[in-house]
Amino acid sequence: MLVDDATGAITPVAAQMGRSGRRRDWWVYPIFSLAVLAWAVLVTARHSWAADFRLHLSTVHGLMRNAWNPVDPLVGAVHGSPYYSPYMALLAGITKLGPAPQAVLEIGGLVSLALWLWAVRRFCRRLSPGPMVPVLVVVFSTALWGAQDTVWSGFFGLHSLSWNLGYPSTIAAALMFLVWDVFFAYRERAEGWRDPLALVVLLALVLLIHPFTAVNTLIGVAAFALANPRALLDARSVKLIAAGGAAVLLALAWPLSNLFDLFSAPKDFDAIHKPLLVGFFHTNGLTHYGLALIGLPALFLARRQPLVRELTVLFLVAVVIVAVAQQTHHYSLGRVLPVVVLPLHVALAACLAHRADLRRPVRGGYVLITAAACLVGLYANLAGLVRADPWTSNKELVRHWGAAASGSPYDDLLASIKPGQVLMMDYGKAGRSANARGAYSVAPGWPYPFVDEIRRHQDTAAFFSAATSPAKRLALADKYHVDCVTASASRQLLLAPGALPGFTQIAQVGQGKIILLCRG
């Protein structure tokens, strides 16, 4: 027996299936997914990305040069990097066949989105065999956040996703849904080792690819287990705990990174994530995530639907974690916010897709309110649609909606540098332009607590100080094996005779406002 998404009536399975055994409306979600992927292709065709895209591009460059013993992609000072995951290693391996690193990273984003769409469908089959639940989940995940968008990796608002397609967080989100799907499959079958083994592999991958998403994944598994406390004492729990432990051991065996590096500097990451939670329970929360609260009544109205109890527990657990994080100033736990809104999205989709759950007037009002909220959310994320027009000539419109890439004059200046070169740069974030070309900067362009970050910034400041002697300046260049130096107008003391022995100017931009000097 199945519940029909269109009428809410319960009908025999055979009546909803064709001769092939498929539902008659099986084509709805594939067509919808193709439309979403078409949007993603148009966004990708712009080749216009935010700053962190360069971080992941530098990771591909680093693994492409030396896949077996690579140095970190930002400063080239230490071996391995938390960013050297199996996913990035795969992309770097593909570049060996000829494609440029940026093209591989962009195509990887499209494949990751396709995997996410498939994983959403698999998970949503546990709520309904029909196509409308996954369709609505995708719509709500991209539109139903807040009246003001939040652009962050792992946040699937349309604007945020338009920048983050190529980030590891996209494929990690797909793996999260697959982990949850396998968890429920094991809970239903409770036999054999196939599902626990699948959990080991999937959990290890998500741990290595995007640890923040791995935390959300494990929060989901824990919440789902708590929703059925009777099952916590049987043999299934032993296998699940063993699977989790084996996944951690498998991730620790990965030779290119240390699983715990990203969790070894909580103060640094708390500072980065502070904007997510500052004022969250005053104005920031409702502004950025208030529209998702439309799904709160669905947790009650759809309580008889499969997994809604589990979604309710997930929502409550995630809210408690966010509250604790906000009060204790552990702002990095703000990355839990996607699993605060996700249960509301899924429960709302389940509620609206099953008409039998609601009386007609209630359902009609709920649909209208949800539609209005989605329109507000789409307006807030309109930049994601603007970015899907690769042929627009109205640059002011693109900038107005926040859809323009964060470019830099250093991008053109560094056209002549080579991968593997080390640059001393007078502007901190200019290191991002160097990293995107496979080069290194003495001071990292991103917060990077895995090296002697403070000392590097101090040495960079000393290098460009007018009080530093040419001999000391050259000693600093030799200390970091510097190949080239960038200097803006205020730093062009380096052009004075003897200011930097052995370096000559080879390029300039902005009528000489920024120059590039290299050895030789």
Side-chain angles (χ1 to χ4, degrees), residues 59-116:
T59 302
V60 177
H61 273 290
L63 287 169
M64 183 176 65
R65 284 196 300 275
N66 187 350
W68 300 108
N69 192 26
V71 293
D72 75 274
L74 300 191
V75 301
V78 295
H79 290 280
S81 167
Y83 301 111
Y84 288 154
S85 68
Y87 172 66
M88 303 307 288
L90 173 62
L91 296 185
I94 294 174
T95 62
K96 298 290 187 179
L97 302 177
Q102 179 166 332
V104 171
L105 190 56
E106 290 173 338
I107 294 173
L110 297 176
V111 174
S112 296
L113 181 62
L115 180 63
W116 179 77

Side-chain angles (χ1 to χ4, degrees), residues 16 39 65 111 115 146 171 187 213 250 288 303 307-308 315 321 361 384 403-404 426 493 508:
Q16 297 193 35
W39 165 82
R65 284 196 300 275
V111 174
L115 180 63
I171 191 170
R187 193 177 74 173
T213 301
L250 183 60
H288 290 274
R303 63 190 182 280
L307 304 190
V308 173
F315 171 73
I321 292 174
D426 60 328
L493 58 95
Q508 64 178 28

Side-chain angles (χ1 to χ4, degrees), residues 123 126 180-188 224 307 310:
F123 178 75
R126 304 200 171 276
W180 292 351
D181 179 66
V182 172
F183 170 82
F184 287 119
Y186 177 61
R187 193 177 74 173
E188 292 172 5
F224 300 152
L307 304 190
E310 285 81 355

Side-chain angles (χ1 to χ4, degrees), residues 209-400:
I209 292 173
H210 200 245
F212 289 113
T213 301
V215 170
N216 291 345
T217 303
L218 293 173
I219 290 172
V221 171
F224 300 152
L226 289 173
N228 186 16
R230 293 182 180 178
L232 294 177
L233 301 177
D234 62 19
R236 288 176 295 183
S237 297
V238 176
K239 287 186 179 180
L240 288 173
I241 293 172
V248 172
L249 291 176
L250 183 60
L252 286 172
W254 177 248
L256 302 183
S257 64
N258 186 331
L259 175 63
F260 298 110
D261 276 351
L262 282 173
F263 301 102
S264 63
K267 290 184 179 179
D268 298 270
F269 286 111
D270 284 338
I272 297 170
H273 294 97
K274 188 175 181 179
L276 285 176
L277 291 183
V278 170
F280 180 82
F281 289 102
H282 298 288
T283 57
N284 187 52
L286 288 176
T287 301
H288 290 274
Y289 313 103
L291 293 177
L293 294 177
I294 299 295
L296 197 56
L299 293 175
F300 172 77
L301 295 172
R303 63 190 182 280
R304 296 179 181 176
Q305 292 298 325
L307 304 190
V308 173
R309 179 175 61 181
E310 285 81 355
L311 293 170
T312 303
V313 175
L314 173 57
F315 171 73
L316 294 174
V317 169
V319 167
V320 169
I321 292 174
V322 169
V324 171
Q326 205 270 349
Q327 293 299 315
T328 61
H329 300 167
H330 287 89
Y331 297 117
S332 58
L333 287 175
R335 298 298 283 270
V336 174
L337 284 167
V339 290
V340 173
V341 299
L342 181 60
L344 302 178
H345 293 158
V346 178
L348 181 60
C351 183
L352 297 184
H354 295 90
R355 296 188 178 183
D357 285 344
L358 302 175
R359 294 180 179 179
R360 182 171 297 179
V362 176
R363 174 183 166 80
Y366 207 1
V367 168
L368 288 175
I369 293 172
T370 301
C374 285
L375 290 175
V376 173
L378 282 174
Y379 182 79
N381 284 275
L382 193 60
L385 296 177
V386 173
R387 280 179 47 74
D389 179 7
W391 304 283
T392 183
S393 58
N394 192 335
K395 295 182 179 180
E396 289 299 324
L397 176 67
V398 174
R399 281 194 291 268
H400 172 74

